[in-house]
């Protein structure tokens, strides 16, 4: 996750990408160099989209920071390789498509949530493996009952930078996966081959302003460094550099134990009283997702880093801001910012572990709190790993790589800094340390420019409009429910009685007849779009209003009214509560489907108002409370 907040001002790619997500159904890969505002895009999209959206990320910490959930928990995926081409595998660490779907146990609410999902946002996509993406695709196709649509028809937004940290795959796993994939990167997934996303790159850099440094970072990113570039970079090589007390540097290390050792040693050199602040965990919050230490040990003079944006909205601090502890008491911490010396009291913050659920009243997705982690939003910051520095910004940094870099780490480390003058190298950067995968470079050439994007947006908006209108008049779910009700009645004929059974046995046939009329109307709409370049909103709007009103009334008369009459006839019968619920639940599902039709919108235009005959189930009368016989007698007296 990047921490960069987007200042006011024009950013054409940002605005076009946001419009494309909200007005089309097209998959999008949103990327950009470090410091271009990818995280701000995610936060803006999450807060402003009207679509039923879910945010997922590959790790627990990334999911918490993104305000979402992990990929594996949301989709119930195993952690081993997913083999999309295998019918079955005997390897206990791998799974085939058939085994995956058999393993998943979604309850009724989760299935309904998936059916209503419109937008899937995947953050930190650079770390997501191709097979993981295909497993997500398989789950959505299956549980949304749309086996021939990529991701079951859900729009997907991929956010991340492929030039930063790559997916993790060991040798044994790759031996299995390479039979199905050209690379472990997400863009090698079968789902991507079936539905290529629009590649949009944010261009405006907010973190760095020095053109020479920006140029150098771009060459590192694309593995285009020349001898002169290495000479320029290695001017910052200062072996054995130790900052004095007045220079607040942070060390970026390739290994976690090295960063921990630096922090522990520096804290031990301070002579003041040690204070330990114990955080609070409620409910479910996995330890591996803790954003900072549950027991935070600090002394006056300790260099710390904020690990959360100011939730108060005053922007007093942000994720990655460095500071020094000035005062400590048993229940308070005061720090001074390293950048400008400003002083501020630090308040505890709360991180949430959420899951997505359905609101029973609105039928929309909501975030349900499973647990929380409350602690001061600080961690010791004389050192941090390069991996955990991703998305942060520093004015001064010591890069302690020891000559050992994984792919993308040089770029991540250098791009954390605002200027080359603030970089200190404890070891020289050689050509062997800069390794950018050629497949990533080839994929990056697919980015579209702003002019192409505008034209593409116009085309996609019209295609999305056509698709949305056609989907309003697909009533397959109504037929499925009608068959369900008729099936229940047929199964309990002996208990219900043949005459009552006849009341709804013909419901599927009546719905099927309406489906034929709906299919003809969809053909009419489709021809209209195919033959007209400029859509006449007024003309098509009136046509849709009439059609919506017709189908709403027709289906109400042919499904809801007979179902309600049938359920009313069951009351005197000796049926169990379980059998009654079978019918009432199915009848409620019928009404929910018709409500969706009535609430459909087309470019802000209401398709239809609810007929008066529907008022009884749109606004059901309050059920009068029963009064006991003793209370009735008391009231009379």
């Amino acid at each position: 996750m990047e921490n960069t907040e987007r200042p006011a001002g024009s950013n054409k790619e940002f605005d076009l990408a946001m419009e494309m997500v909200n007005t089309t159904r097209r998959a999008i890969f949103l990327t950009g160099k470090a410091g271009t505002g990818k995280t701000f895009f995610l936060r803006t999209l999450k807060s402003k989209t009207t679509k039923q959206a879910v945010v997922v990320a590959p790790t627990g910490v990334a999911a918490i920071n993104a305000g979402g959930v992990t990929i594996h928990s949301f989709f119930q995926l195993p952690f081993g390789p997913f083999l999309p081409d295998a019918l079955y595998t005997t390897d206990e660490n791998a799974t085939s498509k058939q085994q995956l779907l058999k393993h998943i146990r979604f309850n009724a609410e989760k299935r309904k949530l998936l059916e209503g999902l419109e937008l899937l946002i995947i953050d930190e996509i650079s770390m997501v493996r191709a097979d993981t993406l295909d497993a997500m695709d398989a789950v959505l196709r299956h549980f949304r009952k749309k086996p021939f649509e990529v991701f079951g028809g859900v729009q997907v937004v991929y956010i991340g930078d492929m030039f930063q940290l790559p997916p993790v795959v060991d040798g044994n796993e790759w031996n299995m996966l390479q039979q199905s994939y050209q690379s472990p990167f997400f863009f090698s997934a079968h789902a991507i081959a079936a539905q290529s996303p629009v590649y949009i790159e944010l261009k405006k850099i907010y973190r760095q302003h020095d053109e020479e440094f920006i140029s150098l970072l771009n060459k590192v990113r694309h593995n285009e460094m020349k001898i002169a570039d290495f000479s320029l970079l290695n001017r910052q090589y200062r072996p054995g550099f130790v900052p004095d007390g007045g220079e607040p540097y942070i060390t970026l290390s390739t290994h976690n134990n090295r960063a921990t050792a630096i922090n522990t040693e520096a804290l031990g050199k301070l002579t003041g009283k040690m204070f330990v602040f114990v955080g609070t965990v409620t409910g479910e919050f996995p330890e591996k997702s803790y954003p900072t230490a549950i027991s935070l040990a600090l002394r006056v003079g300790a260099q710390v880093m904020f690990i959360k944006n100011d939730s108060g909205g005053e922007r007093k601090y942000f994720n990655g801001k460095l500071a020094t502890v000035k005062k400590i008491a048993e229940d308070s911490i005061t720090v001074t910012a390293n950048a400008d010396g400003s002083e501020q009291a630090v308040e505890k913050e709360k991180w949430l572990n959420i899951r997505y659920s359905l609101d029973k009243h609105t039928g929309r997705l909501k975030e349900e709190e499973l647990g929380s982690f409350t602690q001061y939003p600080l961690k010791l910051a004389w050192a941090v790993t390069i991996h955990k520095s991703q998305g942060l910004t520093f004015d001064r940094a010591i890069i302690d790589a020891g000559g050992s870099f994984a792919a993308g780490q040089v770029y991540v480390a250098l791009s954390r800094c605002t200027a080359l003058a603030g970089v200190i190298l404890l070891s020289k950067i050689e050509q062997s340390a800069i390794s950018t995968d050629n497949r990533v470079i080839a994929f990056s050439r697919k980015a579209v420019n702003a002019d192409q994007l505008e034209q593409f947006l116009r085309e996609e908006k019209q295609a999305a409009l056509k698709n949305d209108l056609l989907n309003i008049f697909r009533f397959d779910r109504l037929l499925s429910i009608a068959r369900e009700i008729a099936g229940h009645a047929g199964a309990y004929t002996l208990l219900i009685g043949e005459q009552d059974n006849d009341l709804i046995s013909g419901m599927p046939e009546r719905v099927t007849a309406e489906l034929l009329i709906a299919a003809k109307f969809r053909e009419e709409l489709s021809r209209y779009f195919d033959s007209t370049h400029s859509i006449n909103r007024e003309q098509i709007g009136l046509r849709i209003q009439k059609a919506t009103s017709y189908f709403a009334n027709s289906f109400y008369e042919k499904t809801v009214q007979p179902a309600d009459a049938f359920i009313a006839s069951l009351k005197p019968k000796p049926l169990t509560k379980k059998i009654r619920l079978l019918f009432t639940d199915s009848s409620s599902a019928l009404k929910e489907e018709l409500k969706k039709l009535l609430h459909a919108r087309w470019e802000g235009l209401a398709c239809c108002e609810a007929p008066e005959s529907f008022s009884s189930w749109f606004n059901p009368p309050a059920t009068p409370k029963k009064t006991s016989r003793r209370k009735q007698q008391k009231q009379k007296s």
Side-chain angles (χ1 to χ4, degrees):
M1 286 276 294
E2 292 209 20
N3 176 59
T4 305
E5 294 289 348
R6 178 189 170 210
S10 175
N11 189 325
K12 197 170 187 179
E13 288 80 11
F14 184 102
D15 296 334
L16 288 171
M18 189 65 64
E19 187 177 0
M20 181 164 286
V21 176
N22 287 321
T23 62
T24 81
R25 300 176 69 251
R26 187 60 189 258
I28 292 171
F29 171 51
L30 192 284
T31 189
K33 301 180 177 109
T36 51
K38 296 185 289 295
T39 289
F40 183 68
F41 180 90
L42 186 152
R43 290 178 184 149
T44 304
L45 176 59
K46 185 182 176 188
S47 65
K48 293 187 176 181
T49 187
T50 58
K51 295 183 178 181
Q52 298 268 63
V54 162
V55 179
V56 296
T59 67
V61 173
I64 295 294
N65 288 337
V69 296
T70 65
I71 290 171
H72 287 80
S73 66
F74 185 76
F75 289 97
Q76 290 189 14
L77 303 183
F79 285 97
F82 171 67
L83 308 178
D85 301 320
L87 294 176
Y88 188 83
T89 176
T90 56
D91 193 309
E92 61 181 9
N93 296 317
T95 183
S96 67
K97 179 180 176 181
Q98 182 179 1
Q99 290 167 312
L100 171 70
L101 298 177
K102 185 178 180 181
H103 156 83
I104 291 173
R105 293 289 184 269
F106 289 147
N107 59 26
E109 181 183 324
K110 183 62 175 286
R111 289 169 183 254
K112 191 172 181 181
L113 185 154
L114 292 176
E115 287 176 5
L117 184 62
E118 296 173 301
L119 177 63
L120 176 66
I121 305 168
I122 309 175
D123 195 27
E124 301 289 13
I125 190 64
S126 71
M127 294 190 287
V128 179
R129 289 193 331 213
D131 63 312
T132 302
L133 199 67
D134 279 338
M136 296 159 66
D137 173 48
V139 170
L140 287 174
R141 288 181 191 236
H142 178 76
F143 287 98
R144 285 171 58 83
K145 301 179 180 65
K146 296 180 179 180
F148 302 110
E149 295 186 44
V150 182
F151 290 102
V154 174
Q155 182 183 18
V156 183
V157 175
Y158 311 90
I159 300 177
D161 183 0
M162 300 308 297
F163 291 91
Q164 295 190 32
L165 300 179
V168 176
V169 54
D170 64 33
N172 291 332
E173 290 175 330
W174 183 238
N175 285 337
M176 289 185 277
L177 292 174
Q178 65 181 346
Q179 300 175 41
S180 299
Y181 299 103
Q182 294 182 349
S183 84
F185 298 107
F186 91 97
F187 53 73
S188 291
H190 296 182
I192 296 295
Q195 185 188 76
S196 180
V198 181
Y199 190 124
I200 303 175
E201 182 175 355
L202 300 178
K203 301 291 180 62
K204 192 168 184 176
I205 299 173
Y206 298 110
R207 182 176 293 148
Q208 295 91 13
H209 302 285
D210 178 2
E211 290 298 329
E212 184 178 49
F213 188 38
I214 291 173
S215 175
L216 184 66
L217 287 175
N218 200 44
K219 290 175 182 178
V220 172
R221 176 184 171 90
H222 291 274
N223 197 6
E224 296 173 344
M225 295 280 283
K226 306 297 183 186
I227 294 176
D229 302 313
F230 282 104
S231 297
L232 174 63
L233 178 57
N234 285 318
R235 287 179 192 172
Q236 306 306 116
Y237 171 51
R238 299 182 196 175
F241 175 82
V242 178
D244 61 37
E247 296 178 298
Y249 280 85
I250 185 169
T251 298
L252 306 183
S253 173
T254 53
H255 295 87
N256 189 58
N257 57 0
R258 174 61 179 153
T260 301
I262 292 171
N263 286 325
T264 302
E265 181 182 355
L267 184 65
K269 288 180 179 179
L270 299 176
T271 57
K273 179 183 175 181
M274 181 83 78
F275 289 81
V276 179
F277 299 93
V278 180
T280 304
V281 175
T282 63
E284 299 176 30
F285 203 107
E287 185 175 350
K288 62 183 179 180
S289 298
Y290 289 177
T292 189
I294 188 69
S295 296
L296 181 63
L298 296 175
R299 283 187 169 123
V300 171
Q303 180 164 287
V304 293
M305 177 172 66
F306 285 93
I307 54 168
K308 198 175 194 292
N309 293 332
D310 180 6
S311 62
E314 297 180 22
R315 192 67 177 155
K316 292 179 180 179
Y317 54 85
F318 55 85
N319 187 16
K321 182 177 182 177
L322 292 178
T324 301
V325 177
K326 183 176 182 180
K327 291 184 291 186
I328 310 182
E330 294 297 334
D331 58 355
S332 66
I333 302 172
T334 302
V335 301
T336 55
N338 287 359
D340 58 15
S342 61
E343 184 176 313
Q344 67 185 86
V346 183
E347 302 292 336
K348 287 188 175 181
E349 290 276 4
K350 181 187 283 189
W351 289 261
L352 300 180
N353 178 32
I354 68 163
R355 73 177 171 193
Y356 290 99
S357 60
L358 281 178
D359 188 305
K360 293 181 179 179
H361 299 292
T362 65
R364 293 189 64 81
L365 285 171
K366 66 176 182 178
E367 295 178 2
E368 180 183 349
E369 181 179 328
L370 293 179
S372 67
F373 178 95
T374 304
Q375 178 61 289
Y376 288 101
L378 302 171
K379 68 191 305 181
L380 294 176
W382 284 284
V384 67
T385 62
I386 293 173
H387 184 277
K388 290 181 180 177
S389 76
Q390 187 163 325
L392 304 180
T393 302
F394 308 116
D395 292 322
R396 297 182 182 89
I398 301 168
I399 298 178
D400 176 24
S404 174
F405 284 99
Q409 280 193 324
V410 172
Y411 177 69
V412 172
L414 290 174
S415 61
R416 299 310 94 207
C417 303
T418 57
L420 184 59
V423 176
I424 298 294
L425 301 176
L426 294 187
S427 58
K428 285 188 175 181
I429 305 296
E430 307 293 347
Q431 177 66 60
S432 58
I434 298 177
S435 54
T436 303
D437 196 297
N438 289 330
R439 293 166 294 191
V440 170
I441 294 174
F443 179 63
S444 72
R445 297 194 180 107
K446 296 182 179 181
V448 295
N449 62 43
D451 291 338
Q452 291 174 310
L453 191 55
E454 285 183 323
Q455 174 60 29
F456 197 78
L457 176 60
R458 286 192 291 270
E459 295 170 357
E460 285 295 315
K461 284 176 74 173
Q462 182 141 321
L465 176 59
K466 174 184 176 181
N467 184 78
D468 290 344
L469 286 176
L470 293 179
N471 280 336
I472 289 175
F473 300 99
R474 294 185 191 279
F475 303 112
D476 296 343
R477 175 67 178 149
L478 277 172
L479 178 59
S480 176
I481 298 170
R483 286 172 174 166
E484 189 177 82
I485 294 176
H488 294 332
Y492 297 104
T493 301
L494 295 178
L495 291 174
I496 295 170
E498 189 173 338
Q499 185 175 356
D500 290 336
N501 192 348
D502 289 342
L503 188 64
I504 60 169
S505 61
M507 188 185 295
E509 185 178 346
R510 295 193 295 271
V511 172
T512 299
E514 291 300 315
L515 289 186
L516 294 175
I517 297 173
K520 291 180 180 179
F521 181 66
R522 290 200 306 274
E523 289 176 5
E524 178 188 333
L525 278 179
S526 185
R527 286 195 300 270
Y528 184 88
F529 275 88
D530 293 342
S531 62
T532 306
H533 296 290
S534 178
I535 302 299
N536 185 321
R537 286 187 78 253
E538 183 178 356
Q539 180 182 351
I540 197 171
L542 289 172
R543 187 72 184 91
I544 291 168
Q545 282 184 321
K546 291 179 180 179
T548 307
S549 183
Y550 165 78
F551 286 114
N553 279 285
S554 179
F555 281 121
Y556 179 72
E557 293 171 1
K558 294 172 182 176
T559 61
V560 174
Q561 284 184 331
D564 283 349
F566 176 73
I567 292 169
S569 73
L570 296 177
K571 291 181 179 178
K573 305 294 181 182
L575 298 179
T576 66
K577 183 178 180 181
K578 180 179 178 181
I579 296 174
R580 290 183 188 279
L581 283 174
L582 287 176
F583 295 107
T584 55
D585 286 350
S586 296
S587 178
S588 296
L590 281 175
K591 296 171 184 177
E592 287 302 317
E593 286 301 308
L594 287 184
K595 284 182 183 180
K596 289 179 186 178
L597 173 64
L598 291 171
H599 292 165
R601 293 291 185 270
W602 175 62
E603 292 191 345
L605 176 68
C607 288
C608 180
E609 296 299 327
E612 290 183 8
S613 57
F614 289 19
S615 60
S616 61
W617 51 269
F618 263 102
N619 300 294
T623 304
K625 293 182 179 180
K626 292 183 179 179
T627 307
S628 66
R629 184 174 297 176
R630 180 181 295 177
K631 196 169 184 179
Q632 289 175 350
Q633 292 174 346
K634 189 176 180 180
Q635 288 172 345
K636 288 180 181 179
S637 64

